[in-house]
Amino acid sequence: MSFKLNDSQQITLNDALFGPTDREKRMLEKSLAKPFAEKIFPKIDESLFACLYSDKTLSHFRKRCYTYELATGTDLIYETIIGLSGEMAKIMKIN
């Protein structure tokens, strides 16, 4: 392998690529991203899902979900989606 001079400027952490513009910040503040990040995301108990991630393949994930449901009677994915949708409804003031 040989050395080749890089004529372009190196990207730094302060480049505009890494931070949102003022317009993007305003749009983000008006969206549901902030309430989701502040109110809902911290309430997700990740320890419930620890048993599902020992293998990275989807088939093993489905198998573990099914096995967990058979053992506990709890469908983790369904309950999490229902819980999160309830939290979103509260934030959006929807009955």
Side-chain angles (χ1 to χ4, degrees):
M1 196 177 254
S2 62
F3 174 77
K4 183 174 185 320
L5 184 62
N6 183 1
D7 295 329
S8 60
Q9 180 181 354
Q10 186 172 354
I11 295 176
T12 67
L13 291 175
N14 297 327
D15 280 339
L17 294 173
F18 296 114
T21 64
D22 290 337
R23 180 178 179 270
E24 291 170 332
K25 288 178 187 175
R26 286 192 310 272
M27 291 176 69
L28 190 59
E29 288 172 2
K30 292 178 184 176
S31 73
L32 291 175
K34 186 175 180 181
F36 180 84
E38 292 175 349
K39 296 179 182 176
I40 296 174
F41 191 72
K43 291 184 180 184
I44 298 172
D45 185 6
E46 295 175 0
S47 65
L48 295 173
F49 300 96
C51 63
L52 304 174
Y53 293 104
S54 63
D55 195 323
K56 294 181 177 141
T57 62
L58 186 58
S59 62
H60 283 91
F61 175 78
R62 286 192 302 250
K63 181 180 176 189
R64 284 191 170 82
C65 285
Y66 182 70
T67 304
Y68 185 85
E69 186 175 354
L70 288 177
T72 64
T74 303
D75 184 350
L76 291 176
I77 297 171
Y78 177 78
E79 287 189 3
T80 302
I81 290 171
I82 295 300
L84 290 175
S85 62
E87 289 294 323
M88 287 300 294
K90 285 179 192 174
I91 290 170
M92 297 173 65
K93 297 179 176 119
I94 299 172
N95 291 332

